[in-house]
Amino acid sequence: MAPGEGSSFGTRLAKAFRPKASSKLQKRPRPSASASTLAEASGSPQYEIRSPSPIYHKEAVIDSQLGENLDHTALLHSLVYDDEVYDEQQLSRTTGIACHPEDHTLSKIPLPIWDAVLEYLTPFEAASLAFTTKGLLWRLSLRPWQALNHPENHQYKIQFLLTMDGYLPNHLLCFLCASYHYRIHHGSETLKPAATHNPLYKCPKAFDLPFPRTRITPRRNLPFSFVQLVTRAKRYGPAYGIPVESLVRRWKEDHWTHQSQFAIINGHLHMRVSSSCYAEPGLTQSEVRLLLFSRDDYSPYFSACAHWRDGMLMELCKCALSHIPKPADSMGQKVKDKLHQRHYDPRSIVTLCESCRPMRRCPDCPSEYLIELKNMEDRPTNSFKRAISVTRWCDLGDGLTPMSPEWAACNGELGEYDSFGAIGGRAISGMFEAHFTKEHIPGQRILNLNPRAERHSHDDPNWY
Ligand SMILES: [Zn+2]
Ligand SMILES: [Zn+2]
Ligand SMILES: [Zn+2]
């Protein structure tokens, strides 16, 4: 094998993210002839003033079928650790110029034309263009790749790295660092309560910034890494993540019981969380608040999207609780009930009103809610008790990035999301239930959770 023929996926990337003398992000400045700017290059189109031609490993391990480099460690190391030590080792292992510009017809296109082309491309597109062939990399130089390391190009770097997701089963893309990190519990990653330290990889920014996550209940959340793991496993194969069934949980939090269920439908992770709690008739306003709101953070005990303060969600729960029939508490009431043949039956079916009975959809994110009153068995006393149940179905997006519209909308990070326009006629709840029962669920009327388009701030007492 001639020097340079071993270059491919891994080594090209390793090279791409090696700090260059002219790079803004370099830790130790080094004098270099390659510090030419785009303007200078276009002003004097000579090959010599371009940055050094690509340098490749001689000893790369190549897949005979795909021609891809199997040495993912080298690739990832360079992505994760942007350090000088690695840089020196890398240089000592590499050989000289391995790419001949004359080899490629593209080299006949003058540099100013390439510079003009680059002006029309986003940093992601320019980096992808440089990645297509060695000839193009030589012509465009390493600058499109180095540009990705600039902080303002963070999103473009993520976009570029995502194109490699299907080649890296042992790594997970970290959105804080915009790097792939090695999965330390490969295949045995487990979703744990929010208070448990549960790192999936070693991240240098783990203690500086919060990882993207979505709240399920007050003490449970779903880190985005788990959405990545289950959607990757579905997209590329089991080695890339964990099965979606491994996210399913049943747990208790104070007086509430929760049950979560997950499914990947049309490439998107969907979640259903059913929460229930025994409820007595005739609760006072403060008892209702104690029942619905967690003392930890004054958020609802059940699963709710980021817009729960804005709409009617809490108002509807209070409405549902008010429908629990009360036994007669005075002699006069007892006589009246007897006269009208009204018998108090603690197990009678309670019908909710026009307002709190229908399914509701949050207009600002793909979440649907159903409030019910149920008779549930109280195990210790073997008796039936009334309970309020709140079920939320939501679409958590395709799991590629936390910038996906569904994920961002559920977390209240997307200003403009019209769930009625985006979801259309098919209900999230209907698709989810049909996925499990394998039967067609007839469509039902879904009302707007926030018909008055209210916005309640944290200080506004109306949400409580
Ligand atoms: Zn990281
Ligand atoms: Zn009602
Ligand atoms: Zn919402």
Side-chain angles (χ1 to χ4, degrees):
M1 188 183 288
E5 280 186 342
S7 63
S8 66
F9 183 76
T11 42
R12 272 185 283 158
L13 266 172
K15 189 74 187 77
F17 296 101
R18 186 171 63 79
K20 190 192 133 194
S22 59
S23 165
K24 275 189 188 174
L25 299 179
Q26 201 198 358
K27 291 165 194 159
R28 265 190 284 142
R30 275 183 300 194
S32 168
S34 68
S36 58
T37 63
L38 192 70
E40 284 165 357
S42 53
S44 47
Q46 286 144 20
Y47 297 152
E48 290 73 33
I49 65 157
R50 282 288 196 197
S51 56
S53 293
I55 299 166
Y56 301 111
H57 288 290
K58 262 181 174 179
E59 67 274 33
V61 187
I62 301 299
D63 182 292
S64 58
Q65 300 286 311
L66 300 168
E68 294 292 352
N69 188 356
L70 298 179
D71 187 6
H72 291 140
T73 318
L75 154 66
L76 268 305
H77 196 94
S78 67
L79 288 177
V80 176
Y81 302 106
D82 200 16
D83 55 53
E84 290 288 328
V85 179
Y86 183 72
D87 194 33
E88 279 1 308
Q89 286 173 350
Q90 176 99 327
L91 281 171
S92 69
R93 289 169 63 213
T94 52
T95 56
I97 294 166
C99 178
H100 306 285
E102 312 82 57
D103 290 351
H104 212 286
T105 45
L106 287 168
S107 63
K108 296 190 177 73
I109 300 172
L111 280 178
I113 292 185
W114 280 120
D115 289 333
V117 168
L118 287 182
E119 300 238 319
Y120 285 95
L121 303 179
T122 65
F124 161 68
E125 290 163 341
S128 305
L129 185 66
F131 194 53
T132 48
T133 66
K134 285 182 215 168
L136 263 176
L137 179 61
W138 192 90
R139 298 299 286 165
L140 303 177
S141 81
L142 295 177
R143 279 176 302 128
W145 289 358
Q146 284 153 349
L148 292 181
N149 275 334
H150 296 169
E152 66 271 23
N153 292 337
H154 186 82
Q155 294 308 329
Y156 294 112
K157 185 175 176 186
I158 287 173
Q159 205 181 351
F160 182 67
L161 292 180
L162 270 175
T163 59
M164 290 138 211
D165 220 29
Y167 300 94
L168 303 168
N170 300 326
H171 297 78
L172 213 53
L173 183 56
C174 167
F175 297 92
L176 303 184
C177 307
S179 279
Y180 277 96
H181 295 329
Y182 186 72
R183 288 166 61 191
I184 50 181
H185 309 291
H186 190 277
S188 54
E189 289 96 345
T190 342
L191 185 60
K192 291 181 180 161
T196 316
H197 183 55
N198 186 23
L200 304 187
Y201 43 69
K202 283 184 186 143
C203 171
K205 295 193 177 171
F207 294 102
D208 304 341
L209 293 163
F211 285 107
R213 60 190 59 215
T214 195
R215 177 193 175 282
I216 302 178
T217 58
R219 278 164 244 156
R220 297 271 170 159
N221 56 41
L222 179 67
F224 187 78
S225 304
F226 283 90
V227 186
Q228 275 176 292
L229 286 171
V230 297
T231 50
R232 268 164 48 112
K234 180 85 176 175
R235 203 172 285 130
Y236 308 118
Y240 287 79
I242 53 172
V244 67
E245 296 78 31
S246 68
L247 298 182
V248 176
R249 293 285 181 282
R250 201 183 161 84
W251 71 100
K252 272 186 90 105
E253 243 172 54
D254 299 343
H255 43 288
W256 284 77
T257 311
H258 309 274
Q259 165 101 56
S260 63
Q261 183 61 268
F262 294 85
I264 296 174
I265 303 165
N266 300 332
H268 284 214
L269 180 67
H270 286 62
M271 174 175 80
R272 179 188 68 199
V273 184
S274 304
S275 309
S276 58
C277 163
Y278 296 121
E280 297 294 327
L283 294 175
T284 63
Q285 217 177 46
S286 60
E287 285 169 333
V288 165
R289 285 172 176 170
L290 271 173
L291 185 134
L292 295 175
F293 292 99
S294 159
R295 298 296 99 182
D296 290 358
D297 57 357
Y298 292 91
S299 66
Y301 270 112
F302 47 85
S303 180
C305 65
H307 317 99
W308 63 267
R309 276 193 199 91
D310 300 336
M312 296 170 68
L313 186 59
M314 303 318 289
E315 186 184 319
L316 295 172
C317 291
K318 289 173 189 170
C319 182
L321 287 170
S322 73
H323 297 305
I324 304 177
K326 268 195 288 188
D329 49 2
S330 67
M331 206 53 212
Q333 187 63 41
K334 275 182 189 161
V335 172
K336 262 192 208 167
D337 284 355
K338 208 157 194 161
L339 275 174
H340 293 95
Q341 296 194 326
R342 285 195 299 243
H343 301 291
Y344 175 73
D345 178 2
R347 274 190 265 178
S348 63
I349 306 243
V350 182
T351 317
L352 298 180
C353 73
E354 274 299 300
S355 179
C356 63
R357 189 178 58 225
M359 178 89 73
R360 297 269 179 173
R361 182 183 294 161
C362 176
D364 302 309
C365 79
S367 291
E368 286 169 5
Y369 297 90
L370 185 68
I371 303 165
E372 295 163 287
L373 284 183
K374 290 178 171 172
N375 285 328
M376 287 174 76
E377 196 184 351
D378 188 14
R379 286 279 157 75
T381 58
N382 265 346
S383 61
F384 278 88
K385 274 181 158 181
R386 285 243 165 66
I388 181 170
S389 150
V390 184
T391 306
R392 175 190 175 207
W393 290 263
C394 60
D395 178 352
L396 297 173
D398 56 17
L400 287 175
T401 77
M403 282 72 72
S404 87
E406 292 81 11
W407 175 271
C410 283
N411 292 304
E413 290 152 5
L414 197 68
E416 291 291 304
Y417 186 88
D418 167 23
S419 69
F420 283 89
I423 299 166
R426 195 87 202 273
I428 303 167
S429 48
M431 283 199 290
F432 192 92
E433 298 310 321
H435 179 84
F436 285 99
T437 57
K438 306 288 174 211
E439 280 170 23
H440 178 72
I441 308 281
Q444 60 165 307
R445 197 167 64 119
I446 295 182
L447 301 185
N448 191 333
L449 186 68
N450 191 3
R452 301 186 289 268
E454 292 167 322
R455 291 282 178 261
H456 294 305
S457 77
H458 204 76
D459 316 316
D460 186 346
N462 286 340
W463 59 266
Y464 191 61

